[in-house]
């Protein structure tokens, strides 16, 4: 009985640590999104979706972060283009297209 109880506890610890990883990725993504660091938010939400692909909240957060990152990079690109910084603007437009 002791061996079975020990294995049950180990399994429970493993499951709980896996659950905390899912929540941790989503939490970090949410924090990055709150700070409008959309590129970082995407990385964390992608990890959350990989870990739990059926979670609609994770997939929705990832989609929202991609849209916001695209808008943010496009806005920066327009600003850089207006300043005559064409190379930097092009790089920002490419980032915007990557998320669109």
């Amino acid at each position: 009985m002791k061996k079975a109880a020990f294995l049950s506890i180990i399994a429970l610890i493993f499951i709980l640590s896996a659950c905390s990883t899912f929540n941790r990725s989503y939490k970090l993504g949410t924090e990055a999104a709150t700070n409008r660091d959309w590129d970082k938010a995407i990385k964390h939400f992608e990890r959350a979706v990989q870990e739990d692909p059926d979670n609609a909240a994770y997939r929705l957060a990832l989609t929202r972060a991609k849209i916001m990152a695209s808008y943010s990079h496009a806005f920066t690109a327009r600003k850089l283009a207006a300043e005559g910084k064409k190379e930097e603007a092009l790089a920002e437009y490419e980032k915007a297209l990557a998320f669109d």
Side-chain angles (χ1 to χ4, degrees), residues 28-84:
L28 291 172
T30 302
E31 289 173 7
T34 300
N35 295 324
R36 296 183 181 164
D37 188 347
W38 301 112
D39 295 340
K40 187 184 270 187
I42 289 168
K43 289 178 186 178
H44 291 297
F45 289 142
E46 282 177 338
R47 189 175 309 124
V49 169
Q50 286 175 347
E51 294 167 350
D52 188 2
D54 295 328
N55 190 312
Y58 296 173
R59 288 185 286 123
L60 182 61
L62 175 60
T63 300
R64 182 179 55 100
K66 285 182 176 181
I67 291 168
M68 294 306 297
S70 180
Y71 285 135
S72 176
H73 287 294
F75 178 80
T76 302
R78 284 187 211 107
K79 183 178 174 186
L80 290 168
E83 295 171 0

